[in-house]
Amino acid sequence: MNTEALLTERIPAVDSDAEVLAAAEVGSKLSEYSQLRRRRERWRRFRRGAIGVAFVLCAWQFMAVAYNLQQILPPPLVVAKTIFNALTMHYDQRWLYGPNIYEHLAASFVRAISGFAVAAAFAIPLGLLVGRIGAVREYVDPVIRSLYPIPGIAWIPLAILWFGLGNTAVIFVVFIAEFFPLYFNTEAGARSINPILIDAGRCFGATRLMLFRRVILPAAIPYIITGMRIALGGAWRMIVAGEMLASQSGIGSVLMESRFQFRANDLMMAMILISIVGFVTEKLIVGTLEKKTTQKWEVKVL
């Protein structure tokens, strides 16, 4: 009897170990499959994006050559050479835009990020507050919505009147342009939280701080990230307009001066550099925040 009892006790243990090994093997295969799938998706997006860019470049080259538009629409290779010369500071013609392109890009970058940071510091907390507290919404929301229809460029003369020509005026204009998408997206995210989640957290004894950290912020973060992505794009659009009218440095001033000099290749060089810097900035700021929040918390981004 003792021998039979020992055998019956050992059999489940062997079966349990086999099940654990099988589950581990299945989990490993699923992990490898998911990694392979993500690599394939990244490669597919890269391949399709490259095809789209190649199509635009071919159409650009055809339009410039077929219709003899080299003076107002330089071919891609000419613009690429201009960008290379500007970045390496080897100029075929006299450089008319200050010391070098890096100082202009740095000035625009600092203004854009400063305006974005100030707008985020005001808009995100205010949006969360307005989205969760109805009384605050009744006071604040009408004021925000009455200011929203005013175009961002309309604030430039007032900014010059208040702050003069320089960094402060441009940063103020960028702040105004970025505030609204950040505020509206954050407010929408905070307001759309399912009340059942809040009630469930309270039933489990969660404090207000715990509710904010564990329920409200994870639920609103996809909206906040969407607002940040829109705001950063708007920042680079507004920085150009602000620097054209309120500053003598920055990439916007290069655009304005190249228009005066009728140098389309320099103008398009500045436009492409804005696109590149704006894309990299969005990836560094919004992409990093997305990895630290939505991917970590497994929250779906809008």
Side-chain angles (χ1 to χ4, degrees):
M1 292 295 294
N2 293 334
T3 305
E4 293 178 357
L6 289 174
L7 289 174
T8 55
E9 289 178 0
R10 288 178 179 272
I11 290 173
V14 172
D15 291 342
S16 176
D17 292 341
E19 290 176 358
V20 170
L21 292 175
E25 185 177 358
V26 171
S28 177
K29 289 182 178 179
L30 287 175
S31 178
E32 292 177 0
Y33 172 76
S34 62
Q35 292 178 2
L36 179 61
R37 184 178 179 181
R38 285 195 294 268
R39 285 197 296 267
R40 288 178 176 175
E41 289 178 354
R42 287 196 295 266
W43 170 244
R44 187 189 68 239
R45 290 195 297 267
F46 174 79
R47 184 176 65 251
R48 293 178 177 178
I51 292 173
V53 172
F55 176 80
V56 171
L57 292 176
C58 291
W60 177 3
Q61 177 72 25
F62 174 78
M63 292 290 294
V65 175
Y67 295 95
N68 195 22
L69 301 176
Q70 287 88 342
Q71 292 298 321
I72 60 174
L73 185 65
L77 290 178
V78 175
V79 178
K81 182 180 179 182
T82 303
I83 294 174
F84 177 80
N85 290 338
L87 295 177
T88 58
M89 289 181 282
H90 291 88
Y91 310 118
D92 294 337
Q93 297 176 331
R94 182 169 173 265
W95 178 256
L96 303 173
Y97 316 110
N100 55 65
I101 194 64
Y102 294 104
E103 291 194 7
H104 292 293
L105 287 173
S108 297
F109 178 80
V110 169
R111 292 163 182 162
I113 297 304
S114 299
F116 174 81
V118 176
F122 281 92
I124 294 176
L126 184 62
L128 291 172
L129 189 65
V130 170
R132 296 307 309 161
I133 303 177
V136 177
R137 186 185 310 124
E138 293 174 357
Y139 285 104
V140 175
D141 201 53
V143 178
I144 302 295
R145 294 185 181 276
S146 64
L147 294 175
Y148 177 64
I150 302 175
I153 197 170
W155 292 90
I156 294 178
L158 189 62
I160 295 174
L161 182 64
W162 286 351
F163 307 110
L165 298 176
N167 288 337
T168 306
V170 179
I171 292 173
F172 173 78
V173 172
V174 174
F175 160 76
I176 291 294
E178 295 185 50
F179 176 86
F180 295 105
L182 285 168
Y183 167 79
F184 284 123
N185 278 275
T186 304
E187 189 265 342
R191 186 159 39 88
S192 64
I193 298 173
N194 193 336
I196 296 177
L197 298 177
I198 303 294
D199 294 338
R202 288 171 178 167
C203 289
F204 282 101
T207 63
R208 290 185 177 180
L209 181 60
M210 291 177 64
L211 283 174
F212 175 78
R213 290 180 54 197
R214 300 296 180 88
V215 179
I216 296 175
L217 187 59
I221 197 67
Y223 294 83
I224 296 173
I225 289 177
T226 301
M228 293 176 70
R229 186 170 282 116
I230 297 172
L232 274 175
W236 284 101
R237 290 191 294 272
M238 187 51 60
I239 202 78
V240 171
E243 289 175 345
M244 282 182 175
L245 301 176
S247 178
Q248 295 180 347
S249 63
I251 203 69
S253 66
V254 174
L255 281 167
M256 182 65 75
E257 186 63 27
S258 60
R259 182 182 71 87
F260 289 148
Q261 299 294 332
F262 201 73
R263 296 171 68 164
N265 55 338
D266 291 344
L267 194 151
M268 298 194 73
M269 170 203 68
M271 293 173 63
I272 292 174
L273 289 177
I274 291 171
S275 174
I276 294 172
V277 174
F279 177 80
V280 173
T281 303
E282 188 267 336
K283 286 295 182 183
L284 290 176
I285 296 178
V286 181
T288 302
L289 179 62
E290 193 172 357
K291 291 179 181 178
K292 297 292 185 180
T293 55
T294 57
Q295 294 182 9
K296 182 179 178 180
W297 300 337
E298 297 182 356
V299 178
K300 185 178 180 180
V301 180
L302 301 177

